[in-house]
Amino acid sequence: MQRHPLARILHWSIAGLVLGALASGYAITHEEGFSLALLRVHLALGAAAGGLTLIRVMLWMTKGAPESVFVLTSRIEVAASRIVHITLRLMPLLLLASGIGMLVLSGKAEALLDGTLSGLSAFETLPPRKLHHAAAFLLAALTLLHALAAIKHRLQAPRRLGKA
Ligand code: HEM
Ligand code: HEM
């Protein structure tokens, strides 16, 4: 698949939403006191990231991966880039599924909507919560690695002509 403007728009929209979902997610669990407004912001950002990711994954499955912007020189680099990109493409879907799983299993979706949810204790013992935390940590670590690799390539490697 050529690096179509849609692929670029999807990439930067998902990147912004994922960074917002990570920041708000860690803020709701690590700040003193529970904020329902922040949890709602988190859900909105996370759901939007998951929804756009679904479109990206469908494009990837039907049209293949967008062509790489950078010229990768070694086989290890090519393999590492492929593994990281595949994981980055799938992880927001796992977060969407585990997030919805927490809401459904806890039975707290209604309390969230009508504003009576008063804390995160209802989610504490649920299996999707562990999965959600692990997936969020992996996504944060890989995003950092991915952004550092992009900066390194932008500084060092020649770029394909005419690509963004
Ligand atoms: C935070 C700052 C980010 C920067 C600076 C950045 C930069 C880039 C660059 C320069 C490329 C092109 C690399 C190539 O073609 O080989 C790229 C591709 C890609 N990035 Fe990012 N990225 C960021 C965040 C993210 C996030 C948060 C995700 C996923 C949740 C992500 C997922 C991807 C994927 C899957 C590709 C492969 C091309 C595609 O499918 O669109 N990136 N990124
Ligand atoms: C890309 C999407 C998402 C990302 C990156 C993300 C990230 C995070 C992070 C970093 C945390 C805190 C984890 C920790 O403290 O270790 C969190 C918690 C949480 N997230 Fe998400 N999330 C996403 C989507 C969603 C969605 C779609 C929902 C619900 C439908 C959701 C519901 C929750 C809930 C209820 C918590 C609190 C769980 C607890 O008791 O610790 N998240 N999320």
Side-chain angles (χ1 to χ4, degrees):
M1 182 187 174
Q2 287 290 315
R3 204 156 185 75
H4 192 271
L6 178 62
R8 249 186 285 169
I9 292 169
L10 277 176
H11 174 271
W12 290 112
S13 310
I14 293 168
L17 290 165
V18 160
L19 291 179
L22 284 170
S24 56
Y26 283 122
I28 44 171
T29 52
H30 290 106
E31 263 178 26
E32 289 295 312
F34 169 70
S35 165
L36 179 62
L38 197 55
L39 179 61
R40 282 177 168 162
V41 167
H42 176 69
L43 263 53
L45 292 170
L52 290 185
T53 297
L54 201 58
I55 297 174
R56 169 191 255 177
V57 168
M58 275 155 48
L59 281 175
W60 173 43
M61 293 179 98
T62 52
K63 295 182 187 289
E67 197 183 336
S68 178
V69 170
F70 303 113
V71 178
L72 301 177
T73 46
S74 75
R75 270 202 284 177
I76 292 180
E77 250 185 356
V78 172
S81 155
R82 192 168 295 161
I83 291 167
V84 170
H85 285 173
I86 289 174
T87 314
L88 285 174
R89 277 185 200 115
L90 297 177
M91 214 40 73
L93 288 185
L94 190 58
L95 282 150
L96 180 66
S98 53
I100 292 173
M102 277 192 273
L103 292 185
V104 172
L105 291 178
S106 65
K108 290 290 176 190
E110 213 182 308
L112 185 87
L113 288 176
D114 65 22
T116 54
L117 186 71
S118 56
L120 295 172
S121 55
F123 306 119
E124 247 160 43
T125 54
L126 302 175
R129 179 178 181 253
K130 273 194 179 157
L131 184 64
H132 198 77
H133 286 204
F137 182 77
L138 182 63
L139 181 58
L142 286 184
T143 298
L144 181 65
L145 186 73
H146 170 72
L148 289 176
I151 293 167
K152 173 185 165 283
H153 283 296
R154 196 157 279 261
L155 293 175
Q156 290 177 356
R159 291 163 72 202
R160 287 183 201 278
L161 284 178
K163 303 281 185 263

